[in-house]
Amino acid sequence: MIQQAKTILKQTFGYDEFRPLQQDAIKNVLNKRDSLVIMPTGGGKSLIYQIPSMIFDGLTIVVSPLISLMKDQVEQLDQFGVPALFLNSSLTSEQYRMNVNRLRAGEAKLLYLAPETLMLDKTRDLLSTIKVDCFTIDEAHCISEWGHDFRPEYRQLAEVRKDYSESVCLALTATATPRVQDDIQNILEMKDSGRFVASFDRQNLVLKVADKENPLDQILDFLYTRSNQSGIIYCFSRRQVDELAFDLKNDGHSVLPYHAGLSDEKRMRNQEAFIRDDARIIVATIAFGMGINKPDVRFVIHHDMPQNIESYYQQIGRAGRDSIRADCLLLYSYSDRQKIQYFINQKEGAEKEVAEKHLDALINYLEFDGCRRIPLIRYFGESYKKTQCGMCDNCLREKGDEEDYTIQAQKFMSCMVRSEQLYGSYHIADILRGSSAKKILENGHDKLTTYGIGKEWTKNQWVQFARLLIRKGLVEKNPQHGSLLLTENAKRVLKGDERVTGILDRTQTAADIVVRAKTTDVVENRYNENLFEKLREKRKELADEQGIPPYAIFPDTTLMEMSYYYPQDEHSLIGIYGVGDTKLKKYGDMFLNIIRKFTRENEVTSRSRVIRQKAKKTASKKKHHLIGKEFNKGKSIDHLAEQFGVKTVTIISNLKKYLDEGNKLYPTGILKASGLSERKQDEVLATMKKLGPELLKPIYEDLNKEVDYNELRILQLAYIAGRRK
Ligand code: ADP
Ligand code: ZN
């Protein structure tokens, strides 16, 4: 059965291989064993129920709380030629009725439902008349009170699940601590179940934290080299969203806002525009993101600090679902940190304690000097096996970027001591620079021995330096007044026992050329961007005609491969990522025309040979299945030869292969391909009976070389197929 799953993976979805754990989980589901799957966003959870749904006789139910995602999923499945439907409150009563009818008529393999729809008596009645083979619960963490998004209506699923005791239960989620995982399995009474937990590490995300100094400029710097990319910018407040969206728009960016203060309709419109590539950037509060399935989000920026690591991880998780490199930039400032602290201080008891812990973990991540994946992944209870990822700011920093700042640290910190640790970094900087500001003179700070000893730096540099000292754990901010305090560690530096090294300016946000060079994927780095743009335009046009998102036609990866390999014909197109049978038929020609025209005009040569080999490897694996099945449906060998553009002998050898794998073939259909008289046919078959059908040469000899090999092959096939009737 897993072979069949692989065939579907290539033939329907156009992918060459399963991702880690997909195959194991699918196997388990196909064997009707309950399964819990924990896989990060973009890991490929959907295929784990979509592929079995095409193999099972009965229906696969998918319960999901995200209504907007259902439509998206069904649209995407439609493009792949997989019959799926959804039922939820967003449908008009007429659409609802139509879907129910199609369901009754057995026209769908997959049914998406909101939990509250599933709970309705009419739905339960409807489904009681239909054979359900797989009961899937997406976002399964919602069932647990220990999860971060508990939903009471999910609790009742445990009851409803009993209606489908014959079906296999599959629960999926991207985020679940071990405790939540246990909870899910217990509540759903998953029997004899398998648990599949993938790594939390999203390798294609570049993680970067920058000191926030002039956020608008920093963001404009970042966007400058990303004029065609989609991205999300998260802000703390609605007001901030509106302001930033306005500013970016002024600078010529294609951008829309999203927050709870906008009307439902406007929110929906803006989200839709983003999904359909009509707006490139969404500036949003945390209200945005649930139910976004856009695979080609190339960056996520945090203009303000996120609440905790879980939400940060979830938000950056929306980038790069397509496994292509995506950038995550967080602008970090002390005052943001204080804002969060302020909110925490309003809380009480256990709630406050939990919030404090969350904040500590986040700060630890933000101020970490080593590879950022270490604290991030550890947070989710997994240990990071490497010491360097090569895909975070700290790993990408050149060793030579660090400088020795021991002298400046001593100046700054002794100035703090002299002014009795009562002031913030701006004031300390003023003293060091010998400023004659009112506040300095009033406090007599112009009399201090440290007055004017730091003129080598600008005020701004000293303020940045204060951040470095905080990062290094030498200085702390008094949460009430914002004044700076020395920590225990500071003493060693003041005494000259310890040196201070670091990087002063961490405000750079522009694209890292280094990262590009480090990405190992050849296609991703070397595809032809001009062709890519042309293909993108075509994709957008096709998507708009059908009112679906462009990624439902083809993901970026497909267009990148096309713009790298330049496939010239259908045969090589099949080898391209994401091109399955349905999409090949629907769009193949249109994209091929653009590619052919481009290669002609630019005199580039196709790399088809590479891809043809790739295609061959996967195509031949599945082609004989296709041929076998078509043949059994009643198509003649000649007809198939024409359809596949090959000689009849190729069809025959494919059928033989199909047969050799233990499949059945319809023997009388085979004999129709023979040009021999019935009498002669019987003579040959009798010889095969006598000598055995396997070796053709002795049969050829025995028949006095009168019957040619082609005929013998046809009869051999008929003979073996007949035995297996
Ligand atoms: P999740 O639900 O875990 O967030 P999805 O199921 O949406 O992730 O998959 C993310 C993307 O990866 C989709 O575009 C999907 O088609 C693609 N994908 C899934 N499995 C594979 C695979 N084996 N090979 C290539 N692409 C895959
Ligand atoms: Zn790293």
Side-chain angles (χ1 to χ4, degrees):
M1 262 196 301
I2 196 68
Q3 198 51 48
Q4 203 178 347
K6 275 190 190 150
T7 308
I8 295 173
L9 180 73
K10 178 69 198 166
Q11 209 161 294
T12 304
F13 295 95
Y15 304 143
D16 292 338
E17 275 158 40
F18 281 116
R19 295 222 181 113
L21 291 191
Q22 271 180 336
Q23 176 161 335
D24 295 343
I26 289 177
K27 229 189 228 165
N28 217 47
V29 172
L30 287 175
N31 288 327
K32 289 269 181 141
R33 296 185 49 185
D34 291 349
S35 314
L36 171 63
V37 177
I38 322 288
M39 232 182 227
T41 316
K45 288 185 286 297
S46 323
L47 288 186
I48 296 173
Y49 57 84
Q50 287 168 350
I51 289 185
S53 81
M54 298 175 70
I55 296 175
F56 287 138
D57 288 338
L59 183 71
T60 291
I61 295 179
V62 186
V63 183
S64 162
L66 306 168
I67 292 185
S68 61
L69 265 192
M70 294 182 194
K71 182 165 154 270
D72 189 87
Q73 291 267 18
V74 170
E75 275 170 2
Q76 290 197 54
L77 287 167
D78 185 48
Q79 292 297 317
F80 285 118
V82 179
L85 290 173
F86 66 92
L87 290 178
N88 64 36
S89 53
S90 77
L91 294 172
T92 64
S93 53
E94 191 175 331
Q95 288 171 325
Y96 200 98
R97 219 168 323 120
M98 204 163 79
N99 280 358
V100 167
N101 288 340
R102 290 180 58 195
L103 206 60
R104 283 219 178 90
E107 283 177 26
K109 298 255 66 176
L110 273 155
L111 172 66
Y112 288 83
L113 286 167
E116 51 281 6
T117 316
L118 178 62
M119 245 76 87
L120 297 175
D121 285 341
K122 65 171 179 181
T123 316
R124 289 173 82 166
D125 287 348
L126 166 71
L127 291 174
S128 68
T129 62
I130 294 172
K131 179 170 184 250
V132 176
D133 270 324
C134 180
F135 186 77
T136 303
I137 300 176
D138 204 3
E139 311 290 340
H141 60 274
C142 296
I143 211 165
S144 166
E145 277 166 293
W146 298 109
H148 58 90
D149 188 19
F150 171 59
R151 297 177 185 227
E153 72 274 20
Y154 250 66
R155 247 316 143 69
Q156 298 170 42
L157 288 178
E159 241 350 89
V160 183
R161 150 92 183 108
K162 299 206 171 88
D163 293 358
Y164 311 100
S165 52
E166 293 299 299
S167 64
V168 58
C169 180
L170 168 64
L172 308 156
T173 172
T175 41
T177 57
R179 180 175 200 172
V180 174
Q181 297 171 20
D182 291 341
D183 225 19
I184 297 172
Q185 284 183 310
N186 290 334
I187 295 169
L188 289 171
E189 296 178 26
M190 295 176 94
K191 281 168 286 189
D192 179 26
S193 53
R195 199 186 274 196
F196 303 88
V197 185
S199 168
F200 271 92
D201 187 16
R202 297 275 317 276
Q203 291 178 20
N204 61 318
L205 301 185
V206 180
L207 306 173
K208 175 158 184 154
V209 178
D211 286 332
K212 179 153 133 189
E213 202 166 79
N214 185 343
L216 179 60
D217 275 341
Q218 285 176 295
I219 290 177
L220 289 174
D221 278 353
F222 179 91
L223 296 178
Y224 192 71
T225 51
R226 295 173 161 83
S227 55
N228 272 321
Q229 299 184 356
S230 292
I232 308 171
I233 306 179
Y234 282 108
C235 298
F236 192 71
S237 67
R238 298 175 192 181
R239 207 197 61 209
Q240 185 62 64
V241 167
D242 289 332
E243 275 176 24
L244 184 61
F246 179 85
D247 288 338
L248 294 180
K249 195 166 181 179
N250 260 351
D251 203 75
H253 289 282
S254 151
V255 54
L256 287 172
Y258 188 104
H259 55 67
L262 302 173
S263 68
D264 282 357
E265 197 213 322
K266 180 128 188 128
R267 278 211 310 269
M268 216 165 72
R269 251 204 339 254
N270 289 359
Q271 174 170 325
E272 200 67 16
F274 179 63
I275 287 172
R276 301 211 171 154
D277 289 348
D278 288 325
R280 220 163 46 72
I281 302 168
I282 278 278
V283 183
T285 59
I286 53 167
F288 181 79
M290 272 300 244
I292 294 290
N293 210 1
K294 189 171 167 56
D296 52 357
V297 174
R298 292 269 69 83
F299 60 85
V300 168
I301 300 178
H302 281 86
H303 176 276
D304 305 299
M305 220 162 108
Q307 258 102 341
N308 51 52
I309 291 202
E310 259 134 334
S311 16
Y312 170 70
Y313 183 78
Q314 202 173 34
Q315 286 151 6
I316 61 171
R318 292 175 184 137
R321 272 165 176 261
D322 51 11
S323 304
I324 304 174
R325 197 198 114 194
D327 292 275
C328 308
L329 168 70
L330 187 152
L331 299 179
Y332 172 44
S333 82
Y334 211 87
S335 60
D336 284 354
R337 173 177 171 174
Q338 280 176 314
K339 233 185 269 172
I340 295 190
Q341 188 67 55
Y342 174 82
F343 284 108
I344 291 176
N345 290 343
Q346 319 279 306
K347 300 182 191 223
E348 280 174 0
E351 205 192 343
K352 181 169 175 181
E353 226 169 89
V354 173
E356 293 271 10
K357 267 209 191 102
H358 279 158
L359 180 63
D360 281 351
L362 180 62
I363 300 292
N364 177 42
Y365 168 76
L366 296 175
E367 300 195 337
F368 200 69
D369 268 344
C371 175
R372 296 218 185 264
R373 285 184 155 74
I374 296 170
L376 185 64
I377 289 175
R378 189 187 297 144
Y379 182 82
F380 294 101
E382 187 186 329
S383 73
Y384 190 60
K385 305 274 174 342
K386 293 186 271 184
T387 51
Q388 292 243 318
C389 71
M391 289 282 276
C392 74
D393 51 355
N394 288 338
C395 285
L396 288 164
R397 200 159 279 145
E398 305 285 321
K399 265 277 160 285
D401 292 351
E402 293 223 352
E403 277 182 60
D404 191 318
Y405 293 119
T406 311
I407 305 281
Q408 284 86 351
Q410 286 166 341
K411 285 185 184 175
F412 192 95
M413 295 195 295
S414 49
C415 190
M416 283 170 60
V417 174
R418 297 284 138 81
S419 55
E420 296 172 59
Q421 306 188 50
L422 289 172
Y423 300 89
S425 56
Y426 287 85
H427 189 77
I428 305 286
D430 277 345
I431 303 176
L432 289 167
R433 300 228 346 112
S435 146
S436 46
K438 200 162 140 224
K439 198 172 161 194
I440 298 281
L441 303 179
E442 271 174 10
N443 288 294
H445 287 164
D446 53 334
K447 309 280 181 331
L448 297 179
T449 50
T450 52
Y451 183 73
I453 60 166
K455 289 188 176 149
E456 73 268 32
W457 275 358
T458 63
K459 181 166 174 174
N460 197 16
Q461 279 176 305
W462 281 115
V463 172
Q464 275 180 352
F465 187 60
R467 288 195 202 118
L468 188 144
L469 295 176
I470 293 173
R471 278 203 303 278
K472 294 276 167 190
L474 298 168
V475 169
E476 279 172 354
K477 240 184 204 184
N478 178 327
Q480 263 90 44
H481 317 102
S483 56
L484 298 179
L485 303 169
L486 295 177
T487 67
E488 269 307 298
N489 302 338
K491 286 191 192 131
R492 295 179 49 78
V493 176
L494 281 169
K495 275 199 269 171
D497 289 343
E498 201 175 293
R499 311 206 66 79
V500 177
T501 57
I503 291 158
L504 194 55
D505 185 1
R506 296 211 313 172
T507 61
Q508 300 306 328
T509 55
D512 293 310
I513 296 161
V514 207
V515 181
R516 245 192 181 291
K518 285 213 173 183
T519 321
T520 44
D521 195 311
V522 184
V523 175
E524 203 179 305
N525 284 318
R526 307 227 331 253
Y527 67 90
N528 185 307
E529 293 184 23
N530 296 331
L531 177 56
F532 182 81
E533 279 314 311
K534 288 190 201 315
L535 299 172
R536 241 165 81 103
E537 274 168 32
K538 185 76 201 168
R539 177 176 72 173
K540 174 77 178 126
E541 180 192 316
L542 292 167
D544 286 348
E545 276 169 16
Q546 300 176 64
I548 56 173
Y551 59 75
I553 307 257
F554 282 130
D556 280 0
T557 315
T558 306
L559 305 191
M560 282 178 187
E561 285 208 352
M562 287 179 179
S563 332
Y564 177 76
Y565 291 113
Y566 310 113
Q568 302 289 313
D569 50 36
E570 289 204 352
H571 189 48
S572 21
L573 201 57
I574 266 286
I576 297 279
Y577 176 95
V579 183
D581 286 349
T582 305
K583 291 189 180 181
L584 178 72
K585 264 194 221 113
K586 243 169 146 167
Y587 307 120
D589 278 344
M590 285 183 261
F591 284 85
L592 279 174
N593 284 341
I594 297 173
I595 300 167
R596 286 194 205 113
K597 181 159 180 269
F598 184 86
T599 46
R600 220 172 29 239
E601 286 171 1
N602 295 280
E603 291 179 15
V604 281
T605 42
S606 144
R607 290 189 177 89
S608 295
R609 211 144 42 113
V610 194
I611 188 132
R612 196 161 288 151
Q613 270 155 8
K614 194 175 146 202
K616 222 178 186 166
K617 223 171 70 204
T618 40
S620 59
K621 222 190 326 182
K622 52 142 224 182
K623 200 164 172 188
H624 59 281
H625 279 262
L626 199 66
I627 292 178
K629 277 188 198 149
E630 294 277 352
F631 179 81
N632 280 340
K633 279 188 206 153
K635 287 199 178 149
S636 73
I637 289 177
D638 282 341
H639 183 136
L640 289 171
E642 202 175 295
Q643 179 183 337
F644 285 89
V646 294
K647 294 194 183 119
T648 50
V649 55
T650 312
I651 297 293
I652 291 166
S653 74
N654 271 291
L655 289 176
K656 175 88 176 9
K657 210 152 133 203
Y658 185 70
L659 206 57
D660 288 344
E661 279 180 14
N663 301 300
K664 288 184 180 163
L665 275 183
Y666 165 57
T668 28
I670 304 171
L671 288 176
K672 279 190 201 140
S674 165
L676 300 178
S677 68
E678 225 171 293
R679 193 180 57 83
K680 198 77 189 163
Q681 283 177 14
D682 284 342
E683 193 185 330
V684 177
L685 292 173
T687 314
M688 286 184 174
K689 193 168 177 192
K690 187 171 71 184
L691 302 175
E694 277 77 23
L695 300 174
L696 292 182
K697 188 142 188 269
I699 299 168
Y700 181 68
E701 303 285 354
D702 197 71
L703 292 165
N704 300 322
K705 304 182 183 174
E706 276 171 26
V707 182
D708 71 33
Y709 274 100
N710 242 344
E711 279 293 344
L712 287 182
R713 284 199 190 90
I714 294 173
L715 288 163
Q716 178 191 41
L717 207 58
Y719 184 85
I720 301 174
R723 268 201 321 207
R724 199 172 286 154
K725 243 191 300 189

